[in-house]
Amino acid sequence: MENTTTASRTTVTLTLQTPIERKGGETVTTLQLLKPRTGDLRGLLLAEVLQMKTDAVAVLLPRITQPTLLRHEVDELDPADLVACAVEVAGFLVPKAAMDSLAA
């Protein structure tokens, strides 16, 4: 897992435990998760995203992944990969001050 920050968005790169096989022979082995913006979270309950509820994370991931995952691909993710994505997403949403206080 690698964290990077660009002028526009923070990203995390995850290596999938179980690669995604796409039609046409493409295999996705890593995902970049972009820090969600307010528009990406529209229609979702923040509490459900922070609680890592499957339905909320499944709606959000196609909006913030590179390469862009399709909903059916999210539905077919290995549960361990879904949890890894959900943990990173929840980490994006925790205020910096709260993270700093945990580290102290």
Side-chain angles (χ1 to χ4, degrees):
M1 182 174 19
E2 177 186 323
N3 293 335
T4 57
T5 302
T6 64
S8 58
R9 282 174 109 157
T10 300
T11 63
V12 172
T13 302
L14 288 174
T15 300
L16 296 173
Q17 182 170 301
T18 304
I20 298 167
E21 299 295 330
R22 290 186 156 170
K23 292 180 181 174
E26 180 185 358
T27 301
V28 178
T29 58
T30 60
L31 287 177
Q32 261 196 324
L33 298 176
L34 300 126
K35 183 176 182 175
R37 293 183 177 149
T38 301
D40 299 322
L41 297 165
R42 218 168 249 133
L44 298 172
L45 297 174
L46 289 177
E48 290 185 352
V49 176
L50 287 167
Q51 292 170 354
M52 298 187 278
K53 290 200 173 194
T54 302
D55 288 337
V57 174
V59 169
L60 181 59
L61 286 178
R63 301 176 185 179
I64 63 165
T65 52
Q66 294 286 329
T68 302
L69 292 182
L70 302 173
R71 177 61 194 248
H72 75 86
E73 292 172 327
V74 174
D75 290 344
E76 295 171 8
L77 277 176
D78 183 310
D81 291 326
L82 179 66
V83 169
C85 290
V87 166
E88 293 301 332
V89 168
F92 282 144
L93 300 179
V94 176
K96 186 177 179 337
M99 292 299 281
D100 291 345
S101 70
L102 289 174

